[in-house]
Amino acid sequence: MASRVRSAVPFYNYCHCYYLLFLALSHLLAAQTDNYIIHMDLSSMPKAFSHHHSWYSATLTSLSKNVPETTKLIYSYTHVMNGFSASLTPSELEAIKASPGYVHSIRDLPVKIDTTHSTKFLGLNSAYGAWHDSNYGEGVIIGLVDTGVWPESESFNDDGMSEIPSRWRGECEIGKEFNSSLCNKKLIGARFFNKGLLAKYPNTTIGINSTRDTEGHGTHTSSTAAGNFVDGASYFGYASGTARGVAPRAHVAMYKALWEEGSYTSDIIAAIDQAIDDGVDVLSLSFGLDGVPLYEDPVAVATFAALEKGVFVSTSAGNEGPFYGSLHNGIPWVLTVAAGTIDRDFNGVLNLGNGVSISGASLYPGNLTDARVPIVFMDMCKDNKKLKQVGRKIVVCQDKNDSLSSQYGNLENAKVFGGVFITNDTDLELFVQSSYPAIFLSPEYGEVIKDYIKADEEAKASMEFGKTVLGTRPAPKVTSYTSRGPSPSCPEILKPDILAPGSLILAAWPPNSSAAYVDGRQLYSKFNILSGTSMACPHLAGVAALIRGARPEWGPAAIRSALITSSDLYDNSLGHIKDIGFDNQLATPLAMGSGHVNPNKALDPGLIYDVDIQDYVNVLCALNYTQKHIKVITKSAGSLSDCSKPSLDLNYPSFIAFFNANDSKLSDVKTVKEFQRTVTNVGEEKSTYVGTITGMEGLEVSVVPKKLEFEGRNEKKVFKLRIEGPRRMKERVVFGYLSWVDNEKKHVVRSPIVATSLDSTAVL
Ligand SMILES: *[C@@H]1O[C@H](CO)[C@@H](O)[C@H](O)[C@H]1NC(C)=O
Ligand SMILES: *[C@@H]1O[C@H](CO)[C@@H](O)[C@H](O)[C@H]1NC(C)=O
Ligand SMILES: *[C@@H]1O[C@H](CO)[C@@H](O)[C@H](O)[C@H]1NC(C)=O
Ligand SMILES: *[C@@H]1O[C@H](CO)[C@@H](O)[C@H](O)[C@H]1NC(C)=O
Ligand SMILES: *[C@@H]1O[C@H](CO)[C@@H](O)[C@H](O)[C@H]1NC(C)=O
Ligand SMILES: *[C@@H]1O[C@H](CO)[C@@H](O)[C@H](O)[C@H]1NC(C)=O
Ligand SMILES: *[C@@H]1O[C@H](CO)[C@@H](O)[C@H](O)[C@H]1NC(C)=O
Ligand SMILES: *[C@@H]1O[C@H](CO)[C@@H](O)[C@H](O)[C@H]1NC(C)=O
Ligand SMILES: *[C@@H]1O[C@H](CO)[C@@H](O)[C@H](O)[C@H]1NC(C)=O
């Protein structure tokens, strides 16, 4: 099953570095003050104040005669929440709690962050479908909260771009090595947010105090979503071709809130607040916070406001897989994206002296001559003394015990000529960008190499690199690292929602951030290949921009429904998509959601599962949140939120039922879980859909009515799905699908169904 525990190798999930850094600092500081995010009830604002900003300031001023309010206030928020963030001592926090209009406060927390060819893999083409119908996303604005942007990257050139929409209120903020002349019709906004970080650590030196990206992550994600066409892109010869984002004619606005020096929720909330105010259509958020309830999750709180303004939000599921319940951003009102592979491999070739050549995974960026050198087999490559005596040879290692990471390090230290690793490891993304010549092979090829070395006392081999192979099968596969549902903060909504390309994605990179490390030297490149759900998320932001461009009348829930119900269940070998993290068994919806995104089909989903704001409030009520906690999310001033119809049965295009009762004595007693859904016809006026259930072995699943007859567009029909099962299932996860198929078989509106014995009671 879950094959191995994640190693703490750096990955595109910045959590490890940030956490370590800030743990260390907080030990040193023993700070008296801390940052807090304070939610206020606007209906309590005294009439004397003309604006909420002055009310918040006055609240802070009243705390202390000596300290000016300006040193305490970090941000005053407008859209995403009613309230502000401030740097407070414990006693000041208590005073605020006693002041009129106070609702709730949370401590500011650090967060995790989590070509070119992938557009073709998604079926995007100029002749028909999503690129054609939206003119490549023309006129749509994608905002990203990330590490900034490298504005001079060719991916942000504005050739062929339409004018900046007149509704745009954003700007290109002046900062270190950044000014408005760096923005254009492609990059239309650039702002940065670090007041929260600086309030927390006043002595932090901000290297580049501007939206300029010094890390690369934001340049990569933003160009993945909406980079312009760039010919001749490659990563040291790998993945060469024309780079382009998913929506190459959409505009980009960057909100930098993730810093090398640290990333704080107060800054992130400010960034989302500003993005909404500026007028973005789509938000892409490749980071998340683990282990917090929705009302303490800045992404959940801030994106509820985005939803109210019709902004579509794409988020990353996290890189903590393959363990169940490891997902973040499991928020009912956003899209949560899992990471898959694409049909492209990067290879090195080992040419044995006997004429046999074997390809294996590699992204080694260096140059090699075709010189033959001796090749030796050193089994588990554990003996560092022996390894140090090897010298200019190719060393073959066999990974028997999850030891790839240490083997890789041992060979690096021993400074051998090259390494060949025979391994079952499924997270090769972590190793392939090697700092010395290295090739990773699956065990079936290992025997050929070992036999040759055994047979020839003077065995020799050469290594070649830089090979890109397209059309590999099967693809996509679910990656091992992508985080799995159920969502800890709201288990009753099936998450993740959908699978998108995440592994080994080529996109733009700052030319002076390191893109590789070889033989003790940093190497630089205008494009880099990265892996993670951080890369999958902007793919969906781009696709959502295309849908928004082609179907401007659809709201966020309609777009999400179209994406989910039209996704692909089959890989390019026509088999059900497999899961690398679970020995290539069929991927369950807890790993990939409904399936792999299909942008062209999403334009014409047939039926839509739509959601009202109140439906989300009903979920919050059913989670047994207090009125205060609900208000933190909804900001409903004054009046209580309507909790007259609490329900976790959201009108979502997927289903999850928990059969995990602990009273095992009653194990033969059956229980029934029922769901009610409303579908809206957005296809042909007159159409009849028939519901079929597939999968769900061992459970009785039915849908009533079985047939939905529509007479017109936008007509709604209600149906019920019923799952009968034991009080506690023996299996951990059983899954299947409900498909509504129209009479012409033009539309297949498919929803995933999960029945599980996993725990749902650990709700945050
Ligand atoms: C903006 O910065 C660029 C590059 O640093 C510089 O060439 C240009 O003169 C600056 N423009 C303005 C208006 O300051
Ligand atoms: C920040 O730097 C100043 C001056 O160097 C020093 O006095 C102060 O203690 C530092 N503060 C913290 C929180 O480290
Ligand atoms: C960063 O730039 C902003 C805006 O120009 C300025 O207000 C702020 O003081 C600067 N911060 C630092 C740490 O230099
Ligand atoms: C490989 O060769 C190219 C072309 O000569 C050169 O630009 C590049 O720096 C070399 N790479 C390494 C890792 O030495
Ligand atoms: C790889 O996995 C197979 C099947 O689980 C196992 O038989 C084999 O010993 C493993 N090989 C290595 C090198 O770990
Ligand atoms: C595999 O690892 C375990 C635990 O680290 C160790 O006890 C065992 O000896 C190792 N097996 C081999 C073959 O090295
Ligand atoms: C990268 O480029 C910027 C702007 O030209 C410069 O300020 C910075 O020092 C460079 N960083 C590195 C690591 O070379
Ligand atoms: C909420 O409280 C009700 C009544 O106590 C309980 O039945 C239900 O299981 C709770 N829901 C959650 C999600 O904890
Ligand atoms: C079942 O019992 C275990 C152990 O006591 C507990 O951790 C878990 O929350 C219970 N699950 C349910 C659904 O009650």
Side-chain angles (χ1 to χ4, degrees), residues 77-82 269 272-273 276 301-302 305 632-633 635:
Y77 302 113
T78 302
H79 297 282
V80 296
M81 53 173 272
N82 294 324
I269 293 174
I272 297 175
D273 200 33
I276 293 171
V301 170
V632 162
I633 295 167
K635 303 167 297 296

Side-chain angles (χ1 to χ4, degrees), residues 496-517:
D497 292 304
I498 201 159
L499 184 68
S503 273
L504 303 175
I505 302 299
L506 181 86
W509 194 251
N512 68 353
S513 296
S514 172
Y517 179 77

Side-chain angles (χ1 to χ4, degrees), residues 26-44:
S26 58
H27 280 296
L28 290 176
L29 287 176
Q32 284 300 299
T33 60
D34 209 335
N35 292 355
Y36 292 89
I37 295 160
I38 317 280
H39 295 265
M40 302 289 281
D41 185 345
L42 269 191
S43 65
S44 304

Side-chain angles (χ1 to χ4, degrees), residues 658-663 727-728 757-762:
F658 292 88
F659 295 93
N660 59 359
N662 269 346
D663 41 9
R727 291 185 56 76
R728 185 178 192 90
S757 58
L758 292 167
D759 200 3
S760 69
T761 55

Side-chain angles (χ1 to χ4, degrees), residues 150 177 208 212 512:
W150 193 267
E177 288 167 43
I208 302 270
R212 185 171 290 278
N512 68 353

Side-chain angles (χ1 to χ4, degrees), residues 146-150 211-213 217-219 222 254-258:
D146 213 304
T147 63
V149 65
W150 193 267
T211 317
R212 185 171 290 278
D213 186 6
H217 190 269
T219 301
S222 53
M254 176 57 68
Y255 298 84
K256 178 172 178 178
L258 312 178

Side-chain angles (χ1 to χ4, degrees), residues 125-423:
N125 69 88
S126 52
Y128 65 88
W131 266 1
H132 180 268
D133 292 7
S134 71
N135 198 17
Y136 302 91
E138 185 175 287
V140 182
I141 303 167
I142 302 178
L144 299 99
V145 177
D146 213 304
T147 63
V149 65
W150 193 267
E152 295 89 352
S153 165
E154 290 165 77
S155 294
F156 304 111
N157 82 67
D158 65 358
D159 297 348
M161 292 293 300
S162 59
E163 292 302 318
I164 298 172
S166 57
R167 65 199 157 84
W168 178 242
R169 291 184 298 273
E171 65 174 69
C172 207
E173 205 180 335
I174 296 169
K176 186 141 190 254
E177 288 167 43
F178 214 107
N179 65 37
S180 58
S181 65
L182 294 173
C183 284
N184 58 17
K185 287 186 277 184
K186 164 59 74 181
L187 180 66
I188 65 170
R191 299 188 191 257
F192 59 103
F193 303 83
N194 56 25
K195 288 192 217 162
L197 169 66
L198 288 166
K200 178 98 181 167
Y201 299 109
N203 286 0
T204 308
T205 316
I206 302 284
I208 302 270
N209 185 31
S210 75
T211 317
R212 185 171 290 278
D213 186 6
T214 55
E215 296 177 79
H217 190 269
T219 301
H220 199 277
T221 55
S222 53
S223 58
T224 297
N228 210 335
F229 297 86
V230 182
D231 291 333
S234 88
Y235 174 76
F236 302 102
Y238 292 95
S240 62
T242 301
R244 83 277 274 174
V246 175
R249 289 287 176 261
H251 306 283
V252 172
M254 176 57 68
Y255 298 84
K256 178 172 178 178
L258 312 178
W259 298 81
E260 262 178 278
E261 296 83 7
S263 308
Y264 276 83
T265 52
S266 55
D267 292 324
I268 287 164
I269 293 174
I272 297 175
D273 200 33
Q274 188 65 58
I276 293 171
D277 197 46
D278 289 350
V280 304
D281 300 305
V282 174
L283 262 177
S284 186
L285 307 176
S286 286
F287 56 84
L289 200 61
D290 287 345
V292 284
L294 294 174
Y295 54 85
E296 291 190 353
D297 181 343
V299 177
V301 170
T303 56
F304 197 86
L307 170 83
E308 290 172 304
K309 303 264 180 206
V311 177
F312 184 90
V313 182
S314 177
T315 69
S316 51
N319 301 332
E320 303 298 318
F323 312 105
Y324 288 125
S326 53
L327 172 137
H328 59 212
N329 294 323
I331 301 163
W333 46 91
V334 306
L335 188 77
T336 315
V337 187
T341 64
I342 60 175
D343 65 337
R344 178 175 66 188
D345 280 350
F346 300 118
N347 285 340
V349 180
L350 182 70
N351 300 305
L352 299 175
N354 62 0
V356 173
S357 291
I358 300 167
S359 294
S362 180
L363 263 178
Y364 174 67
N367 300 319
L368 275 194
T369 62
D370 50 10
R372 283 198 183 167
V373 298
I375 182 168
V376 293
F377 177 66
M378 309 230 359
D379 200 23
M380 292 187 63
C381 293
K382 278 202 291 202
D383 190 337
N384 284 318
K385 248 196 202 148
K386 255 193 187 164
L387 283 170
K388 289 230 162 80
Q389 289 154 11
V390 165
R392 243 183 95 76
K393 290 182 185 153
I394 296 170
V395 177
V396 180
C397 308
Q398 179 154 266
D399 164 23
K400 284 187 189 145
N401 209 4
D402 272 351
S403 53
L404 182 59
S405 176
S406 60
Q407 292 183 347
Y408 176 84
N410 292 348
L411 260 55
E412 185 170 41
N413 291 336
K415 299 202 164 39
V416 300
F417 177 85
V420 172
F421 298 94
I422 301 167
T423 180

